Amino acid sequence: MDGITFDHVGIAVESLEKALAFYQGVLGLKLEETEVVAGQGVKVAKLHTGKTTIELLEPLGPDSPVAKFIEKRGEGIHHICFEVPDALAVVAKGKEKGFDPVSEGLKPGASGRQVAFLNPKSTFKVMIELSQGPADAGKKK
Ligand code: CO
């Protein structure tokens, strides 16, 4: 598909503070920002790795989808994200071929972007985030 690029890996953690002690304190990755994304029930820490980004996701409460993920599967890789020009077009194409979205429509994601997720049950146990937005949103300067 034209214009698709790999954007980031999202990692579910119980505590940003503990995870940052490793990613920042040991690996030396640069913490770009932390942001509460209430709609997704998470606090996100974005770390730069040079060419791409790691997102650490700490649940805001027990009802957060990320809390449920950790409860079921433990901490670990939660999703991978591709930036696309038109996320809903990809979702529609996926549905046509039997790859289901987690929910309908776009949701507000981190950095003012609009996102959709594909259900990992249909996408080989890896949740896929599709992210679109203003060309400069969430971009490194
Ligand atoms: Co993400």
Side-chain angles (χ1 to χ4, degrees):
M1 168 174 286
D2 279 345
I4 186 165
T5 53
F6 185 74
D7 193 70
H8 64 262
V9 177
I11 300 173
V13 300
E14 284 169 7
S15 155
L16 284 186
E17 198 189 329
K18 284 183 188 165
L20 284 171
F22 174 70
Y23 284 97
Q24 208 180 7
V26 177
L27 296 184
L29 300 184
K30 186 169 167 278
L31 178 63
E32 187 194 353
E33 59 176 339
T34 57
E35 179 185 353
V36 170
V37 184
Q40 313 276 356
V42 288
K43 189 169 172 193
V44 181
K46 289 188 155 198
L47 295 143
H48 273 168
T49 64
K51 284 187 178 164
T52 187
T53 302
I54 306 269
E55 268 185 12
L56 301 175
L57 310 162
E58 178 191 274
L60 290 176
D63 292 335
S64 160
V66 171
K68 299 204 164 108
F69 174 93
I70 292 173
E71 201 181 296
K72 250 204 231 162
R73 295 171 60 168
E75 294 175 298
I77 294 178
H78 178 263
H79 66 268
I80 62 174
C81 177
F82 295 98
E83 197 178 309
V84 293
D86 184 349
L88 287 182
V90 180
V91 169
K93 195 172 179 182
K95 277 166 88 171
E96 228 176 80
K97 295 170 187 282
F99 303 100
D100 300 323
V102 168
S103 61
E104 296 300 319
L106 297 174
K107 297 246 156 79
S111 307
R113 299 186 62 84
Q114 297 287 308
V115 302
F117 290 94
L118 298 181
N119 193 323
K121 281 183 188 142
S122 68
T123 49
F124 315 97
K125 301 284 159 69
V126 177
M127 178 133 79
I128 306 290
E129 179 180 14
L130 301 162
S131 167
Q132 71 174 55
D136 56 349
K139 278 281 151 77
K140 305 143 203 170
K141 299 217 173 78

